[in-house]
Amino acid sequence: MRWLKGLIVAIILLAVLLVGILFAVNNQQTVPLNLIWLELPAVSLSVWLLAALVSGVMLGMLAMTGVWLRLRTALSRAQRLNRQQRKELDRLRVQELKELP
């Protein structure tokens, strides 16, 4: 079953790579980028679009860092509380067994 998962992942990665290559080949027009206060040099359209994609992914990851840290902290707090409650439950079970006649 593991080899099947690897094969499916390899096929998906190959398809994404093929689409990326076709995207880059079909978007060879050079386009200057004007950012109001800064004009960037003319580079192919595929480079600008891929740069926008990468910067958007990075900004999204940066924005989610706060949420991830908060959830990670809540998870560790819940795990700690769970361990304490299990210890208490084990202690009460042992105490109950000792009290039986």
Side-chain angles (χ1 to χ4, degrees):
M1 196 65 174
R2 183 174 259 174
W3 65 271
L4 183 61
K5 180 181 175 184
L7 180 66
I8 291 172
V9 168
I11 290 172
I12 290 172
L13 288 177
L14 187 62
V16 168
L17 181 66
L18 181 64
V19 168
I21 290 171
L22 288 173
F23 176 76
V25 168
N26 288 328
N27 290 301
Q28 289 296 319
Q29 303 89 339
T30 57
V31 177
L33 187 61
N34 186 353
L35 299 174
I36 299 174
W37 62 88
L38 178 67
E39 175 129 2
L40 297 174
V43 182
S44 71
L45 181 62
S46 61
V47 171
W48 288 128
L49 290 174
L50 290 174
L53 174 69
V54 168
S55 63
V57 168
M58 297 302 253
L59 285 173
M61 290 172 61
L62 183 65
M64 288 303 297
T65 301
V67 173
W68 180 78
L69 287 174
R70 186 178 51 214
L71 289 174
R72 183 81 179 179
T73 304
L75 176 64
S76 63
R77 187 176 300 132
Q79 287 174 337
R80 192 175 331 116
L81 181 62
N82 190 11
R83 280 193 305 271
Q84 290 173 353
Q85 289 176 344
R86 284 184 186 273
K87 284 180 185 179
E88 178 71 16
L89 182 61
D90 289 340
R91 188 183 61 77
L92 289 172
R93 283 181 181 158
V94 168
Q95 182 180 2
E96 182 180 302
L97 288 175
K98 288 181 180 178
E99 292 177 357
L100 288 176

